[in-house]
Amino acid sequence: MSVLASAPFSAEEIASEGLKPAEYEAIFERLGRHPNKAELGMFGVMWSEHCCYKNSRPLLSQFPTMGERVLVGPGENAGVVDFGNGLRLVFKIESHNHPSAVEPFQGAATGVGGILRDIFTMGARPLAVLNSLRFGTLDHPRTRRLFEGVVAGISHYGNCVGVPTVAGEVYFDSAYSGNPLVNAMAIGLMETDEIVKAGASGIGNPVLYVGSTTGRDGMGGASFASAELSDASLDDRPAVQVGDPFLEKSLIEACLEAFKTGAVVAAQDMGAAGLTCSTAEMAASGGVGVDLDLDLIPVRETGMVPYEYLLSESQERMLFVAQKGREQELIDIFHKWELQAVVAGEIIAEPIVRIRFQGKIAAEIPATALADNTPIYHHELPSEPPAYAQAAWLWNEGLLPDCTTEGIPVEGIPVEGISADGMASDGHDVDQTPRVQSWTDVLLALLDSPIIASKRWVYRQYDHQVQNNTVILPGGADAAVLRLRSVLSGEPATHNKGCAATVDCNARYVYLHPYEGAKAAVAEAARNLSCVGAEPIAVTDNLNFGSPENPVGYWQLAEACRGLAEACTEFATPVTGGNVSLYNETLDSEGKPQPIYPTPVVGMVGLVEDLNHICGQGWQNAGDLIYLLGKAPNDTGDSISLGGSEYLSVIHKTVAGIPPLVNFALERQAQAACRYGIRQGWIRSAHDAAEGGLAVALAESCISGRQGATVTVMSEGVRGDRLLFGEGGARIIVSVDPSQRSRWETYLRDQVDGYWKYLGRVGGDELTIQTDPGEVLVAAGVAEMAQTWGSAIENRLSDSSKI
């Protein structure tokens, strides 16, 4: 009789745990017997993609993970890097996508809580949170509900726990209509002498359960996060955790106090897979076993069975290994903070996870079978790019209407008294001859795009100044900047160092060309850090993709990982950890999966040596000189492109083409020049040209600085739309103190000769972009740009006609 035929579970029961028939047979092989219900559940969560990376682990091995500043790399709760002067920065990014699709408030809130626990579990005090969010288009009522709920959840948890939310990104695209993305990144500063790790040790040492009680919330959340979303799963609210930020605040203080006693041997957050994951990973990491008694676990509900204990993802819980004889010392600390703390088990020599319940053994599994010896799937890369990509790559600028210095003909643009179907208000046909949309109108249309527009509606709900370490407020620069104040020495700081942080990914680029798009995400993250004067140091990534079992989905994942690995190597920014979130797909009414855009979010941290030498993106003084670093606007190479651009999407309703190709050497040159100019005090503002290209970047600098600018661009041999709205080219716009012009230009000629341009001056109340013969392409008032850009999202949320 086959293993499956003799199994005490039906095929449906096995599948409901997220396990395939072959995986059940592998479980039988590892145990030498059939599992019981609790054990089946334990394997289901631990063998999920969310926990074991069974489809992505072979690809992750190509990432660079070592560096002179890396103290802790992948494999622990978070990465740790050395910032000098005794400063050790801890950071990590993780996803809470599926829970947020089901219950946006709690899904997002507990995503923040979970990433904060990863930070303070290492012995670090959380300093800040960033987030990367993606939703469908705002004209859909469900998108509006998800967007508002997610922002409220992030705001609630972060504000209540006392950790500022300092930066992030928000994108809107129909590709995310059924499956929003909620990625949270946290940063902390080590507050203990020793980095606390997860590997258990010391036979006979007690295992402590600390924090909140255990209930039935979040049941099987890891498996839930590793499957496609369907109409049924969207009603699976028990799989969504419920958080308590006030309890987490007490847990932060209690844990840091406990770590400082030296009595904690190891610590592990109970996040995905709860007790199952924490016991298995601590045991496997230390090469020992854990014997745990569920009867000793504090609970909030009655009648719970082992399966529920082990798969619960109740929040704000931790597992400690304590030095034998010092457990009461730790228990007293947690009781002082009004938290649960009990000895629930001990470390044993046999490398197994043994679970007891009501005097019997409820589960007994080799620790490595749950944590390390998991299935690994090696998928075959398609022999050629998928058809959708090949078709998209055929697009070229020649397919667009011819344009002039006045603008571009655009069809179907309603004018007053005329509807989009060509009917006048009196019902008669009208002339539908394409009209010319001026470049100024195009710029305003792009500023009105929710992707480009101000995210003030989002970040004004966050407390971004609590702890008083936020140096640049949200919206003021291309990256967040934090003050670093070590608490270890107890003496005044002898440095003025800071940390810069950003999260970046243009998923449209990645969709069109995963390899180039992933490289561009790393390049933009490094560029954003450089624009505030920070040296890029290290990366944490969140790989949000569809199903790797689909050849197209695997091609996207594999190619993006290849691009990330190459780019992180080129920028000397090793990957210290991260998260993989696959199966981000929605099953439609016919059961067909609709995947998101492939979205490898790059979280990057950088070192600011002196907080006196940083800058934001807005113009500072009238008369300051404006320069462009990187490719010239009229460059005809493939580093600047309309392929995959926001202009192409918004104005021409087209997603096609090859996105800008990354020139690593030029990126490093331009970024180094920007950082040097800021440190010398020459540069007064810096802003990278990203979505919307040169014109949008100039407009954003005008809006931030509340003053205009007049710039001149070379236009020979290049289309007007490419000149103004082409993207890429390693480009940074800087404004410079006029008294430093000679020093600055001498430096540029020496360091980036041929890849810089003087554009014009800051001043006035209008942005004027003209060609070298003096023809005006754009003339837009700063007030009008600011109004359009600043109100775009609020207008869509308040438009009752779209509810």
Side-chain angles (χ1 to χ4, degrees), residues 63 504-526 539 541 543 545 555-568 571 598-602 604 659-660 662 664:
F63 289 171
D504 290 287
C505 178
N506 186 321
R508 192 186 296 140
Y509 287 2
V510 185
Y511 168 72
L512 291 170
H513 201 303
Y515 170 66
E516 288 295 336
K519 291 196 300 184
V522 178
E524 183 176 1
V539 160
D541 58 44
L543 307 181
F545 287 79
W555 175 77
Q556 293 173 339
L557 176 63
E559 285 295 279
C561 285
R562 183 167 70 93
L564 288 174
E566 181 179 334
C568 288
F571 285 104
T599 312
V601 175
V602 174
M604 188 180 289
V662 177
F664 288 121

Side-chain angles (χ1 to χ4, degrees), residues 241-501:
Q241 308 87 341
V242 178
D244 182 343
F246 298 106
L247 193 151
E248 177 126 334
K249 173 59 177 172
S250 295
L251 188 60
I252 292 172
E253 302 304 332
C255 285
L256 293 178
E257 184 176 340
F259 295 151
K260 290 173 185 176
T261 66
V264 179
V265 176
Q268 179 67 45
D269 158 44
M270 277 189 240
L275 275 168
T276 296
C277 185
S278 55
T279 52
E281 290 190 348
M282 292 181 83
S285 295
V288 295
V290 171
D291 191 315
L292 192 77
D293 190 341
L294 297 180
D295 295 321
L296 301 174
I297 302 296
V299 294
R300 69 182 68 150
E301 300 184 52
T302 60
M304 292 180 66
V305 297
Y307 178 90
E308 294 171 321
Y309 277 96
L310 293 164
L311 271 65
S312 167
E313 294 186 9
S314 295
Q315 296 292 283
E316 294 90 35
R317 302 179 302 158
M318 311 275 287
L319 211 61
F320 282 6
V321 176
Q323 289 183 7
K324 191 170 186 179
R326 300 189 66 182
E327 52 269 40
Q328 191 59 47
E329 182 181 350
L330 298 175
I331 290 171
D332 290 343
I333 290 173
F334 283 88
H335 285 174
K336 182 183 75 172
W337 289 96
E338 299 182 349
L339 298 169
Q340 301 288 336
V342 297
V343 175
E346 67 174 351
I347 301 302
I348 58 178
E350 188 177 1
I352 61 172
V353 174
R354 179 181 295 134
I355 305 297
R356 301 179 186 274
F357 182 67
Q358 296 182 348
K360 298 179 180 178
I361 294 178
E364 191 170 273
I365 303 174
T368 56
L370 291 170
D372 298 326
N373 186 20
T374 62
I376 296 293
Y377 296 118
H378 297 269
H379 299 278
E380 185 175 347
L381 198 63
S383 58
E384 60 180 18
Y388 89 85
Q390 295 190 51
W393 296 346
L394 294 176
W395 181 90
N396 63 76
E397 295 170 6
L399 298 174
L400 292 174
D402 291 335
C403 56
T404 67
T405 55
E406 285 77 29
I408 188 165
V410 181
E411 297 181 9
I413 299 177
V415 296
E416 186 174 358
I418 303 174
S419 66
D421 61 3
M423 300 294 291
S425 56
D426 61 2
H428 294 90
D429 291 337
V430 297
D431 182 10
Q432 281 193 287
T433 304
R435 72 180 182 89
V436 173
Q437 187 172 19
S438 72
W439 295 128
T440 299
D441 286 343
V442 171
L443 172 60
L444 291 172
L446 290 176
L447 292 175
D448 185 60
S449 165
I451 288 179
I452 289 176
S454 169
K455 308 305 184 293
R456 181 183 57 195
W457 184 89
V458 175
Y459 64 71
R460 73 182 181 187
Q461 299 183 50
Y462 303 151
D463 186 340
H464 42 259
Q465 290 180 283
V466 64
Q467 297 189 26
N468 198 31
N469 290 317
T470 309
V471 181
I472 297 180
L473 302 184
D478 288 4
V481 178
L482 301 168
R483 183 180 294 104
L484 298 179
R485 295 185 286 195
S486 176
V487 299
L488 288 179
S489 65
E491 299 177 0
T494 57
H495 63 84
N496 194 31
K497 288 185 175 181
C499 164

